[in-house]
Amino acid sequence: MSKEKIFLFDTTLRDGQQTQGVHFSLEDKYRIAHALDSIGFDYIEGGWPGANPTDSEFFESPPPIKYSIFTAFGMTKRSGRSAENDGVLASVTKAGTSAVCLVGKTNDYHVKKVLGISNEDNLSNIGDSIAHLVTIGKEAIFDAEHFFDGYKSDPNYALECLCAANESGAQWIVLCDTNGGTLPTEIYDTVKQVIQSGIPGHKLGIHAHNDTENAVANSLTAVLSGARQIQGTINGLGERCGNANLISILPTLMLKDEYTKHYEVGVEKSKLAHLTELSRLLDEILNKAPNRTAPYVGSSAFAHKGGLHVSAVNKDPKTYEHINPELVGNSRQIIISEQAGKSNI
């Protein structure tokens, strides 16, 4: 039986920069882009051309990408002008990338309160913007902002927004849990309902924020319910509580039977051994200490302290390790301490 591919879309260079206290220099962006491309993520979102001088310069002199699809980010056109004559949209379409990701509102409350336009105008903005991308030969990706909250508020309108993008030729329609408050069971049911409404699963993606610490679980759940693209960042970087952590998602997709039996990713198995290096590179760029307890890549992820744990690990590491740490470029630590308690079970 052939496996279905899960596409990985990295947004570190844009969403990561939304993190409080984080600002990437031009050199930082080149280093990160090179590292992401070396691993082999399917898409690298470089930022928002025209939004700030650094992003504009980055797209004017793009990094030499070999394996990934370099992608520009922007928003759907504004009301009162055509897609062809919207200056903000033009700065994105002229960025020189083969793929463009546009964010648009799919929550009726936001359409009214934030955009101050009618639901119908918002649908036109989505459809016309995506159609414009397709007409000029771009791979069109639609980020359905606040989709899960919008679906709870008015499911029919939220689905109409997706249909507007789909019928206009979007290659991907990404369901965004922008406020990060949706739980895995809700993600599973909603993605299933979206597919039943007529949007094919092979065109659906998930973009999860981590405000309930469920971003990784929500992303993996979306795959099980039919989505085929995951957006996220390295180390879960992102505004507020962060985004889905691709450092945790990638090895789970590649090493856990629940996923390896049915799905495959575009990253070669040998590249997985550079995962810890990638995680720590970002910390180095940000001048911060790595998270010792980070799953898979933290220095304590495979550390064992005294007592029964060490005794068992010395006989067989599988007793207290869910994978071989070397698979993700990490290493095992045996910590012997006089304070190690005998009840360390």
Side-chain angles (χ1 to χ4, degrees):
M1 182 179 69
S2 61
K3 298 181 180 181
E4 294 189 67
K5 182 177 178 180
I6 306 302
F7 292 80
L8 299 175
F9 188 114
D10 183 274
T11 71
T12 302
L13 295 175
R14 183 187 65 83
D15 272 317
Q17 192 157 263
Q18 297 296 103
T19 308
Q20 186 175 4
V22 169
H23 175 74
F24 295 131
S25 68
L26 188 60
E27 181 183 353
D28 293 338
K29 291 177 79 80
Y30 284 125
R31 290 181 68 191
I32 295 169
H34 173 71
L36 295 172
D37 184 48
S38 296
I39 293 291
F41 290 105
D42 297 286
Y43 295 85
I44 298 173
E45 190 176 75
W48 189 330
N52 58 72
T54 301
D55 278 10
S56 295
E57 189 175 352
F58 188 53
F59 282 94
E60 288 171 4
S61 300
I65 299 295
K66 295 181 180 180
Y67 307 107
S68 307
I69 298 174
F70 193 45
T71 307
F73 178 88
M75 67 180 184
T76 55
K77 80 171 188 69
R78 293 163 292 176
S79 293
R81 66 205 73 192
S82 66
E84 294 80 4
N85 294 307
D86 186 290
V88 176
L89 183 56
S91 65
V92 179
T93 58
K94 294 178 181 178
T97 61
S98 61
V100 172
C101 180
L102 296 181
V103 64
K105 302 290 187 186
T106 58
N107 184 334
D108 61 327
Y109 180 78
H110 281 257
V111 172
K112 178 181 179 180
K113 289 289 185 179
V114 180
L115 297 181
I117 61 176
S118 69
N119 285 354
E120 291 72 23
D121 282 346
N122 184 56
L123 291 174
S124 295
N125 290 346
I126 294 171
D128 292 349
S129 300
I130 296 298
H132 177 58
L133 294 184
V134 175
T135 298
I136 62 176
K138 302 291 185 181
E139 179 181 348
I141 303 166
F142 177 62
D143 268 12
E145 189 181 29
H146 292 285
F147 173 76
F148 291 96
D149 290 329
Y151 190 80
K152 294 174 187 176
S153 171
D154 187 339
N156 291 330
Y157 182 69
L159 289 173
E160 283 183 44
C161 293
L162 303 188
C163 288
N166 186 46
E167 292 170 1
S168 296
Q171 179 73 27
W172 289 104
I173 297 169
V174 182
L175 309 180
C176 301
D177 183 28
T178 312
N179 285 354
T182 309
L183 300 177
T185 52
E186 298 174 294
I187 294 286
Y188 186 87
D189 291 341
T190 303
V191 172
K192 283 286 190 184
Q193 290 161 14
V194 169
I195 294 172
Q196 290 170 5
S197 77
I199 307 293
H202 65 80
K203 297 181 70 172
L204 285 178
I206 180 72
H207 180 112
H209 284 254
N210 202 36
D211 297 73
T212 63
E213 207 164 358
N214 278 292
V216 169
N218 283 344
S219 300
L220 295 170
T221 297
V223 168
L224 295 178
S225 56
R228 294 295 174 260
Q229 185 197 105
I230 297 176
Q231 293 191 356
T233 62
I234 302 308
N235 294 344
L237 209 62
E239 64 182 333
R240 302 190 314 274
C241 303
N243 286 51
N245 187 357
L246 291 178
I247 294 293
S248 296
I249 290 171
L250 177 58
T252 298
L253 291 174
M254 296 183 68
L255 299 174
K256 297 300 181 179
D257 288 347
E258 178 78 7
Y259 295 94
T260 59
K261 287 179 181 178
H262 307 288
Y263 312 110
E264 61 184 3
V265 297
V267 176
E268 297 176 4
K269 197 75 172 281
S270 61
K271 299 292 184 68
L272 197 58
H274 297 285
L275 199 66
T276 299
E277 177 185 348
L278 173 62
S279 172
R280 294 177 185 175
L281 170 67
L282 184 60
D283 288 327
E284 175 191 327
I285 289 172
L286 297 177
N287 194 30
K288 61 179 292 188
N291 178 5
R292 292 176 57 187
T293 59
Y296 290 105
V297 299
S299 60
S300 295
F302 300 95
H304 310 281
K305 181 180 177 181
L308 297 178
H309 286 203
V310 168
S311 175
V313 168
N314 283 334
K315 295 173 182 176
D316 186 346
K318 290 182 181 180
T319 54
Y320 282 96
E321 293 178 354
H322 66 110
I323 65 163
N324 180 345
E326 294 179 357
L327 292 174
V328 293
N330 207 343
S331 58
R332 180 178 303 113
Q333 291 189 63
I334 303 297
I335 302 170
I336 304 299
S337 170
E338 293 180 358
Q339 301 300 318
K342 295 183 179 180
S343 61
N344 186 22
I345 298 176

